[in-house]
Amino acid sequence: MLSLLSGERGYCSLVADGDGARALRLGEGEALTAAAKEPIAEGRARLESDRGPLEVSWSPAGPAIELGFDGTTVMVHGVAASGEDPSNGAMSGPGVIWELPDEGWTLARTAWAVTAGSRLTVLVALRPEGVTEHGEELVGAARIDPREEPLGYLEPLLSTEYDGDGAHTRATLELWEEGAELAERGAGRRIAGAGIDVFRGRLEAARFAWGFRGEPAAGGYEILTL
């Protein structure tokens, strides 16, 4: 799964597997949905919509990290992305690629935030098959700063608020480093979001405005249900 930002409010999330790809693009006006019937090429995707093609490309921006918990591994890559769509034209900005396991889970939450100084905070929560409670999800998180070595959090916690329609509107992060007396805390609110059907499930995705230690950050929060 790829998520990227563009400008002050633009956002795009793309889910791909061996059957092709589905994408949600938010900008001015109504959300744009697009699909590709063939597997996407590495670093580039072209998807068709009823308003014309959506094109997205990306390249690495910083190290890839591996989040492992309870025998499950998720690879996370920060990227620089760009593209164009028929409704809003060119887009470019930071993004994140999440390489999720092929099986063993029914719901994935991915939250991420980038500061003006390019510090990237990422969190992923997987709900194993047979589990129904939010508190039983497997959670991993890390911080990637261009001036430091990547840092994995010992105990990351995610709390989510929903509106009356079931859309995730606010979130808080509590990120505990090993040996720390206080957690790093972050809070985010929804800027724009929508949902699309993707292969075996449903993606509810939103651009979020985040804040960490008084520093603003931009990013996203996606919920993929199988």
Side-chain angles (χ1 to χ4, degrees), residues 141-225:
R143 184 178 72 225
I144 306 172
D145 192 305
R147 297 167 293 276
E148 304 172 359
E149 290 294 319
L151 170 70
Y153 291 101
L154 180 65
E155 184 181 5
L157 303 173
L158 168 66
S159 178
T160 307
E161 296 180 19
Y162 301 86
D163 64 15
D165 296 323
H168 54 300
T169 56
R170 293 184 179 274
T172 56
L173 304 179
E174 188 174 306
L175 307 172
W176 289 91
E177 297 181 33
E178 185 173 3
E181 296 183 0
L182 296 174
E184 180 175 352
R185 298 179 185 273
R189 61 180 178 83
R190 183 188 185 103
I191 299 298
I196 56 171
D197 292 326
V198 289
F199 311 112
R200 297 172 291 152
R202 177 79 176 172
L203 173 68
E204 297 291 339
R207 176 168 177 154
F208 262 52
W210 294 95
F212 291 85
R213 297 180 293 186
E215 185 176 6
Y221 181 176
E222 300 85 25
I223 302 176
L224 177 60
T225 305

Side-chain angles (χ1 to χ4, degrees), residues 69-74 99-108 126-129 138 200 226:
F69 31 78
D70 196 30
T72 300
T73 300
V74 176
E99 295 184 16
L100 301 170
D102 292 332
E103 57 186 19
W105 55 277
T106 60
L107 182 145
L126 294 180
R127 182 174 297 179
E129 293 176 337
L138 306 175
R200 297 172 291 152
L226 299 184

Side-chain angles (χ1 to χ4, degrees), residues 51-73:
R51 285 180 260 169
L54 169 66
E55 297 183 352
V56 184
S57 61
W58 58 91
S59 58
I65 60 172
E66 180 179 292
L67 298 176
F69 31 78
D70 196 30
T72 300
T73 300

